[in-house]
Amino acid sequence: RLKKNIKPIKKGLDIIKELNGVSYEWTKESNMGENIKKFGLIAQQVQEIIPEMVNIVSNTEDTLSLDYKEIIPFLIEAIKELNTKVDNLNIK
């Protein structure tokens, strides 16, 4: 009732394959905890692939953040695509 323009995600696996997981540490200037190893994605790269996942941090023009929950539907579709490929291999 509350959603419109509902469309299936196509080529979820291709989209996920374009992303690069990274490890990183926040800088002192970030105030996020210096020298603590983290894992994630680079917002600037994600912005080119899934722009809806990227937000501009308030009061800045050049600092981006990621809404990681937005990647879940792409992961689901990628898993389904891989499962189909595995099923096809098992049939042969």
Side-chain angles (χ1 to χ4, degrees):
R1 281 179 351 164
L2 302 177
K3 297 175 183 162
K4 64 180 185 177
N5 298 327
I6 298 169
K7 299 174 188 166
I9 293 172
K10 302 279 189 200
K11 302 189 183 240
L13 182 58
D14 290 339
I15 292 168
I16 293 300
K17 285 171 35 179
E18 288 185 56
L19 299 174
N20 295 305
V22 298
S23 66
Y24 61 91
E25 294 178 4
W26 290 110
T27 63
K28 184 177 183 179
E29 293 78 22
S30 73
N31 294 318
M32 299 292 286
E34 194 177 5
N35 299 323
I36 299 172
K37 190 173 189 176
K38 296 287 188 177
F39 301 92
L41 302 166
I42 301 299
Q44 289 80 358
Q45 181 199 26
V46 175
Q47 190 171 38
E48 296 174 10
I49 301 163
I50 313 171
E52 298 83 0
M53 230 181 112
V54 181
N55 301 304
I56 298 174
V57 176
S58 61
N59 301 327
T60 71
E61 290 183 19
D62 61 349
T63 303
L64 304 176
S65 68
L66 293 175
D67 186 359
Y68 278 95
K69 71 180 181 296
E70 294 292 328
I71 201 169
I72 294 171
F74 295 94
L75 294 171
I76 290 169
E77 293 306 313
I79 291 168
K80 288 165 51 177
E81 288 177 45
L82 288 172
N83 189 63
T84 299
K85 291 180 180 195
V86 168
D87 287 347
N88 290 339
L89 288 172
N90 287 334
I91 290 172
K92 293 178 181 179

